Amino acid sequence: MGKTITEKIIEAHIVSGRFVPGTEIGIRIDQTLTQDATGTMAYLEFESMHVPRVRTELSISYIDHNTIQSGFENSDDHRYLQTVAQKYGIYLSRAGNGICHQVHFERFGKPGKTLLGSDSHTPTGGALGMLAIGAGGLDVALAMAGEPFCFTCPRIIKINLTGTLPPWTSAKDIILKVLEIFTTKGNVGFIFEYGGEGTATLSAPERATIANMGAECGVTTSIFPSDEMARIFLKAQKRHDDWQEIRADLDAEYDRIVDIDLSHIVPLTAKPHSPDNISPVRDVGGIRVDQVCIGSCTNSSYKDLATVARILKGNVVHPEVSFIIAPGSRQVLENLAREGYLTDLIMAGARLMESACGFCIGNSQSPQTRGVSLRTSNRNYLGRSGTLDAQVYLVSAETAAASAITGRITDPRDLGVVYPQVPMPDRFYIDDSMIIKPESTENSSAIEIFRGPNIGVPPANDPFPEMIKGEVTIKVGDKITTDHIVPAGTRMKYRSNIPKYSECFFEPLDGQCSERATKIRDKGKHNIIIAGLSYGQGSSREHAAICTMFLGVKAVIAKSFERIHAANLINFGILPVTFKDDRDYERINQGDSLEITDARKTIEGSEKMLVRNVSNSLTFEVNYNLSERQKKILLAGGALNLRHI
Ligand code: MIC
Ligand code: SF4
């Protein structure tokens, strides 16, 4: 039987288990990436492992998230990251060089390799035919220490693209279509593999947009063949030697095949407040727009921004629209400048932001009260923009540009002009001087690591208790994201200071939650969280688990979990369990006292787990699906404890 692309790469990297979907496997990791918001903790964890130098082919630390630097914390973190990188053999992409996924795609992504990144959009690399997976910082730290990455062997869904995109539609509309079909929940354990003759019409940067936002569906990753388009892109990046052809075999078998005819794609939008709340742009056309933001790791490539420049040429944006542009990388910015597109953008009234995450993570450019913001980014969760009552719509660069001109949500086909087809350059202008090479092994011992007062130590946990006896701290609904659990934006500067960061636990939903959890913990009781479907969507930030641990939560009982957050909970010694009967969710309230007697023994013996609700005298069963490896981690109180035993 033929093989899928995924199967070929996994089989070339497998170190434990076999390619049997649904079972746990371990793979060797060739490359790692971190960014500053998750990286400081990941490197603190790496340091605590006492490994003298990274054991990967390439590890790179990007500074792209916390670049606002209001207060000393971000700058201190940057300096810490730079010195750690120098010492341990890690490359460092300096602030200003661009967003991790865009830069990695341009300069380091390699067909056939494995990449593990402490950011949920790491799958962007799948555009070049690599197996690129997002994970918590601790898993990335372990990979840097040479440990395999363990995860559930995926089931593969083929997305078979046919036809070609009509004018004024683009890759963003394709992935929004995919989100309409698959939604943001129910896709854990799957990989999207793209194929079909429609795929061959998409350039590598277009594929990157699609692979990037597959993360919103909750799949392990998305992957494209490494074909002529990948070769052309790598050649234009002066990296032709990095190319190798990788395709699925013609008789490869998939779990499911979904056909999408590109010629039927229309401009789409994800309406507030979820990336799967899809409708045609025309259906919401005419709504007044206060802000348009173009950038983020989804749509900030040269092609995106050059297309926007061509659409805007000769126009000034609508007087009521604040128009933000954040190029994805310094390379994109240089190429736009040299080709004259930057001038067109400036003359159209663009407010030029740094090549960084910026508006996407809500640390700047928050919209006005009840403002309507059109963004080319990938997430529009409630409050993520920094304005709780803002209405954020996710759109393509084309729709964003058209709407910036008219001041209303506008289907770009209705502009009544010819679609500007921007060709990909044969050669990009390239300059890697903002990437710092690590010190040689001989010189590295002399490097002193800089630690400002904001840099803490990874918090310790006790081994898993014999029994869980505690209180329901908070009961939440479906599709709770890690942005709900620990918000980013202006709070993100406390990523290296867990007690401080824990103060905003569940803040967007319940301002009292952190205080309540602290009181329960200080009374010697355990905290327990009750949740609905798809708990822990979105960001890979392990802080959503670390702060949960710090506040004394021992179990999360949910209808279902997202992959990265569930792995992070186990890594920090917190038990994720699901309701056997979802109706039991209705029979629990915030403040109820719950008990799991013999919790530890139950897990050790793989027995049936019962939860007693002392407040209403009901008992219900929960499921836990832990491999032997995960049981060991959990019972030790987390992966770091296990390593130090
Ligand atoms: C995000 O887009 O939410 C982030 C910020 O990039 C996160 C990582 C983080 O929280 O630092 C992600 O996607 O993993
Ligand atoms: Fe940065 Fe936004 Fe991409 Fe996250 S989604 S890496 S915040 S640009």
Side-chain angles (χ1 to χ4, degrees), residues 391-407:
Q391 303 292 310
V392 177
Y393 292 76
L394 306 177
V395 294
S396 69
E398 288 80 355
T399 300
S403 307
I405 296 172
T406 62

Side-chain angles (χ1 to χ4, degrees), residues 65 99-101 119 121 296-297 357 360-361 378 384:
H65 277 62
I99 305 173
C100 53
H101 309 301
D119 192 282
H121 290 104
S296 93
C297 55
C357 298
C360 175
I361 193 52
N378 44 38
R384 181 171 160 108

Side-chain angles (χ1 to χ4, degrees), residues 2-5 8 158 193 225 246-252 254:
K3 291 184 176 161
T4 60
I5 303 170
K8 290 182 186 184
K158 178 174 181 183
E193 222 178 275
I246 308 179
R247 293 175 187 273
D249 294 331
L250 289 175
D251 56 346
Y254 300 89

Side-chain angles (χ1 to χ4, degrees), residues 419-639:
Y419 182 55
Q421 291 284 0
V422 175
M424 257 247 308
D426 295 337
R427 287 286 159 115
F428 288 100
Y429 297 97
I430 289 160
D431 176 352
D432 287 334
S433 55
M434 290 287 276
I435 296 172
I436 304 177
K437 286 201 180 115
E439 265 310 335
S440 62
T441 314
E442 303 79 68
N443 295 342
S444 62
S445 56
I447 293 166
E448 248 188 68
I449 294 178
F450 176 91
R451 291 175 211 276
N454 193 42
I455 302 276
V457 285
N461 196 14
D462 298 328
F464 196 76
E466 295 302 332
M467 82 176 285
I468 294 180
K469 197 172 163 103
E471 198 172 312
V472 176
T473 328
I474 187 166
K475 179 178 174 183
V476 291
D478 292 345
K479 300 209 291 192
I480 293 301
T481 70
T482 47
D483 279 68
H484 291 113
I485 304 171
V486 280
T490 51
R491 307 289 190 179
M492 208 162 48
K493 67 179 176 187
Y494 300 121
R495 287 287 176 90
S496 322
N497 182 344
I498 297 301
K500 184 80 190 150
Y501 200 26
S502 299
E503 287 173 14
C504 64
F505 191 56
F506 278 108
E507 192 179 47
L509 298 177
D510 176 349
Q512 310 304 311
C513 190
S514 173
E515 219 181 295
R516 209 163 49 240
T518 309
K519 278 196 190 135
I520 296 172
R521 182 196 61 192
D522 294 350
K523 275 194 275 178
K525 293 210 276 180
H526 298 136
N527 280 286
I528 298 163
I529 295 170
I530 304 296
L533 287 167
S534 189
Y535 182 71
Q537 286 193 354
S539 152
S540 67
R541 64 190 72 147
E542 63 183 352
H543 301 75
I546 303 177
C547 295
T548 302
M549 170 189 98
F550 177 78
L551 290 168
V553 176
K554 287 293 169 201
V556 181
I557 310 177
K559 290 184 187 170
S560 67
F561 288 88
E562 285 304 304
R563 174 186 65 89
I564 304 180
H565 187 60
N568 286 341
L569 287 173
I570 296 167
N571 272 350
F572 289 94
I574 302 156
L575 175 67
V577 290
T578 52
F579 291 99
K580 180 153 191 230
D581 179 348
D582 280 354
R583 286 172 301 182
D584 288 324
Y585 170 88
E586 306 302 335
R587 301 180 191 119
I588 310 179
N589 294 309
Q590 185 186 308
D592 282 1
S593 295
L594 303 187
E595 282 179 15
I596 310 179
T597 35
D598 291 333
R600 204 182 159 92
K601 273 204 201 109
T602 305
I603 297 167
E604 278 164 346
S606 301
E607 282 158 27
K608 187 157 110 174
M609 187 174 282
L610 296 175
V611 183
R612 184 170 152 71
N613 188 339
V614 181
S615 303
N616 62 11
S617 307
L618 291 175
T619 298
F620 60 95
E621 192 179 339
V622 289
N623 294 328
Y624 55 100
N625 183 13
L626 302 172
S627 66
E628 287 307 311
R629 181 191 65 90
Q630 288 173 319
K631 277 188 192 173
K632 278 194 200 134
I633 293 175
L634 182 79
L635 296 175

Side-chain angles (χ1 to χ4, degrees), residues 6-14 19 25 27 131 151 154:
T6 310
E7 212 173 332
K8 290 182 186 184
I9 301 179
I10 288 183
E11 284 188 355
H13 289 83
I14 202 154
F19 194 96
I25 51 170
I27 58 168
L131 192 76
F151 67 117

Side-chain angles (χ1 to χ4, degrees), residues 374-395:
L374 257 60
R375 299 179 166 216
T376 64
S377 43
N378 44 38
R379 291 180 173 153
N380 58 347
Y381 308 143
L382 180 78
R384 181 171 160 108
S385 66
T387 305
L388 202 54
D389 58 7
Q391 303 292 310
V392 177
Y393 292 76
L394 306 177
V395 294

Side-chain angles (χ1 to χ4, degrees), residues 9-31:
I9 301 179
I10 288 183
E11 284 188 355
H13 289 83
I14 202 154
V15 291
S16 65
R18 282 193 314 117
F19 194 96
V20 179
T23 62
E24 188 174 271
I25 51 170
I27 58 168
R28 194 181 68 249
I29 293 298
D30 300 322
Q31 301 187 347

